[in-house]
Amino acid sequence: MARRPLPRILSNGSAQIARSRELARTAADSATDVLHPLITVSRGLRRLAGAGLRKWADTPKDRRGPLLFLVASVILVMTLVPYGPLLAAISLMAAAAWTGRDRTPPAPTGPDEAQTGRLQSLYEALVPYFSAAEDPDPLYAHGGDWEKVFSSYDFDDDGRVSRLLIRYPAYFTDGEAESRARIEQLLHAKSGRGREYHFDWDEESNELTITVLPPLPTDIAAQRFVTAPGETVLGFTDPADVQRTLPLTYGEEQRDVPPVVWRTGIRSTEPHLLVVGEPGSGTTTLMRSIALQTLQYGDVVIVEGGGTGEYACLTGRAGVLAVECGLAGALASLEWAAHETERRLIAANRARQAGHPAPDDIKNPLWILLDRPSALGHLTAADGRKDPQALLQVPLRHGRAAGVTVVVAEHFDSLDVLSEAVRQHTRARVVLGPASSAQLEAVLGVPPHTTPTRDVPPGRGYARLGTGPVLRLQVPATPDPYDDATSEAQRRAVLELLPEHTTPADAGALPLKAAVAES
């Protein structure tokens, strides 16, 4: 059956509309140019009339009679004088044209003296790095012209550089990390400390764009995120780095914020997560946030090596198989998790060989959250027991196929204690709190394209999922609701996300211990 062609009004209607709009815009611009003198005179007459009315209103009533008589006398004299009305009309039009002129001050066409000094200082500081003695026509030279290399620039309200496009010579070794790090450190120091800068190297065009990044929002509280099963929101980042936003609630207001989403499951390339930070940087907050999100569709085993009771609010909740702080309970829980991973693998393999779908008892995801394994390692070494990290080898190696996810949180000073299995299989990485570029590169694998600041709020850091880019990260506020320092709004936000109680708080780990005893 032959297809009919679309009607002309549908096939080329959009082009006609665009052409009509362009013609209308051109006609409006032409009319504005032609009628510009008339518009100026009309605006001046309106301003003169307004000034006369204000003068009349400000004149006392006892002086209005003489003023009116004076005006009438002037009009009468101008009428009797030869060519008086014509001269009066010309004078009025001239006054109206002068009064109605555009008084908007012209926009500055370039930087002021202070801004020019800053740009010249940056130029002089870059001369030793972007110049060579054998260059016959150097872009950078002492006392040279900064306008040749700074083709675009913006300043903030304080007069500091907020955006700068820098040209550099082609022979600069921009492919070496050390050379780029020296330039970034220099620009960070000269442009103003205390701010976070993003560096975009365009190696093909020999251009470097430096941009001041706005601070990430720190007022995002824990809440239900619009995600699919297997997706976990680690935090929020810059809009230009991700192609997705989530609708979030800020009290009575709603905003769309770009998230950092970590995907787990059988098809995930980053099935396990490592979180690193200093004390007070927000690592435990991130672990609580992950636990609250995964309890919507999975089971959670929490092992706290620090023994501070940060996860007491999850004890005895639906889906929480155990919250262990002691050494014996932690080892029992991790041993059970290893056996459960093996059981799931065997059940899934038998189902595939028989041509049946996976059993229902292995479809529910299992999450193992291990906070501060180094503290448990010291206790087990002193007691002559097995290192708890050795019990994570099976969940780490085969967790993706068995639906088991492992999240490990550790401090910077104990990174050397982490086992090889943890380092190798935790391909998703998060670093929170203040950290140097060397520390960030050691954990994330590559340095970030921004300059980390010294003072950061809790939950602020960087994330890298597998071989992806390094993203800025701000963890949603998920404090301990039983802590006295927690605000009432944040306490209510966390309590509303907690599942209902299924067992008394002092018996929350009994079902898992019984399962370990049976196994």
Side-chain angles (χ1 to χ4, degrees):
M1 181 177 178
R3 298 179 59 183
R4 287 186 175 183
L6 291 173
R8 292 191 61 178
I9 191 173
L10 295 179
S11 60
N12 58 2
S14 59
Q16 292 180 356
I17 292 174
R19 191 159 48 249
S20 300
R21 289 178 178 175
E22 184 64 26
L23 291 175
R25 189 179 298 109
T26 304
D29 294 340
S30 301
T32 302
D33 294 338
V34 172
L35 299 176
H36 181 70
L38 182 59
I39 294 173
T40 302
V41 172
S42 301
R43 188 190 304 122
L45 290 174
R46 187 172 61 253
R47 291 177 179 176
L48 289 175
L53 291 176
R54 288 193 299 270
K55 181 65 175 178
W56 178 262
D58 295 339
T59 302
K61 292 184 179 181
D62 56 343
R63 296 184 180 179
R64 290 182 179 180
L67 179 60
L68 186 59
F69 177 76
L70 178 61
V71 173
S73 301
V74 172
I75 295 175
L76 179 60
V77 170
M78 293 300 297
T79 304
L80 297 177
V81 172
Y83 303 103
L86 180 59
L87 294 175
I90 293 175
S91 302
L92 180 62
M93 292 300 104
W98 177 260
T99 307
R101 71 188 189 282
D102 189 6
R103 302 179 182 180
T104 304
T109 57
D112 56 21
E113 185 177 354
Q115 295 170 354
T116 302
R118 284 183 176 272
L119 294 176
Q120 185 65 34
S121 175
L122 282 174
Y123 176 83
E124 294 291 341
L126 292 172
V127 168
Y129 301 93
F130 286 156
S131 62
E134 57 273 14
D135 190 353
D137 186 18
L139 277 176
Y140 291 82
H142 292 291
D145 185 9
W146 58 265
E147 294 183 354
K148 295 191 303 182
V149 296
F150 299 157
S151 56
S152 177
Y153 46 83
D154 293 317
F155 293 87
D156 57 13
D157 296 336
D158 298 332
R160 297 189 297 178
V161 175
S162 60
R163 183 183 177 276
L164 184 63
L165 179 60
I166 304 174
R167 294 176 54 211
Y168 57 88
Y171 54 76
F172 175 71
T173 55
D174 51 5
E176 299 179 2
E178 295 80 4
S179 301
R180 295 164 67 150
R182 285 196 298 268
I183 299 299
E184 294 175 1
Q185 183 180 5
L186 173 66
L187 293 174
H188 180 206
K190 293 295 184 180
S191 299
R193 298 184 183 274
R195 300 185 298 174
E196 194 164 5
Y197 297 89
H198 179 267
F199 297 96
D200 183 14
W201 292 84
D202 187 356
E203 300 178 5
E204 295 183 1
S205 302
N206 298 320
E207 291 180 346
L208 168 62
T209 303
I210 173 175
T211 308
V212 177
L213 296 175
L216 295 175
T218 58
D219 55 349
I220 301 178
Q223 54 191 279
R224 291 293 181 206
F225 302 121
V226 183
T227 56
E231 293 183 343
T232 304
V233 176
L234 300 179
F236 303 92
T237 185
D238 299 299
D241 293 338
V242 294
Q243 300 178 354
R244 177 179 176 181
T245 59
L246 290 181
L248 301 182
T249 302
Y250 290 78
E252 299 179 355
E253 181 185 358
Q254 284 192 350
R255 304 183 205 166
D256 291 336
V257 182
V260 178
V261 178
W262 172 40
R263 293 174 177 86
T264 57
I266 297 178
R267 295 176 178 82
S268 173
T269 58
E270 306 89 22
H272 308 296
L273 174 69
L274 174 63
V275 183
V276 183
E278 296 291 349
S281 60
T283 56
T284 304
T285 297
L286 177 56
M287 298 284 278
R288 262 193 304 267
S289 176
I290 293 175
L292 292 177
Q293 295 181 60
T294 55
L295 284 175
Q296 301 179 65
Y297 52 86
D299 298 328
V300 178
V301 176
I302 301 175
V303 177
E304 183 186 1
T308 57
E310 294 283 349
Y311 304 93
C313 60
L314 296 169
T315 303
R317 303 282 181 172
V320 181
L321 302 182
V323 179
E324 296 293 349
C325 299
L327 179 59
L331 294 177
S333 299
L334 295 177
E335 185 177 357
W336 174 87
H339 291 314
E340 176 65 11
T341 304
E342 295 175 349
R343 185 192 70 81
R344 290 182 175 224
L345 283 174
I346 295 173
N349 187 34
R350 289 176 177 174
R352 283 194 297 267
Q353 290 180 353
H356 299 303
D360 294 336
D361 59 345
I362 68 173
K363 291 183 178 180
N364 204 31
L366 174 63
W367 287 67
I368 304 172
L369 307 183
L370 178 56
D371 195 353
R372 297 286 314 281
S374 60
L376 292 175
H378 293 309
L379 294 177
T380 54
D383 201 21
R385 298 191 182 187
K386 191 176 183 179
D387 188 356
Q389 296 187 60
L391 300 174
L392 290 177
Q393 291 189 9
V394 174
L396 286 171
R397 294 179 184 273
H398 308 287
R400 178 170 55 182
V404 179
T405 302
V406 179
V407 182
V408 179
E410 190 53 86
H411 291 168
F412 272 113
D413 55 1
S414 302
L415 280 180
D416 55 344
V417 185
L418 293 179
S419 65
E420 184 62 27
V422 173
R423 295 173 179 271
Q424 181 179 359
H425 295 284
T426 52
R427 293 173 48 83
R429 302 288 180 90
V430 172
V431 178
L432 298 179
S436 63
S437 299
Q439 290 176 321
L440 292 173
E441 186 174 2
V443 177
L444 302 176
V446 294
H449 292 291
T450 62
T451 53
T453 56
R454 185 172 300 176
D455 299 326
V456 295
R460 174 67 177 83
Y462 296 89
R464 189 188 185 205
L465 304 179
T467 58
V470 179
L471 305 175
R472 292 204 304 165
L473 181 72
Q474 178 62 50
V475 177
T478 315
D480 183 7
Y482 299 158
D483 190 357
D484 295 337
T486 304
S487 65
E488 185 61 27
Q490 293 182 351
R491 178 182 291 107
R492 285 200 310 269
V494 175
L495 292 176
E496 290 175 358
L497 298 178
L498 290 174
E500 61 181 2
H501 275 289
T502 57
T503 57
D506 57 351
L510 289 181
L512 181 55
K513 291 181 179 179
V516 173
E518 292 177 0
S519 62

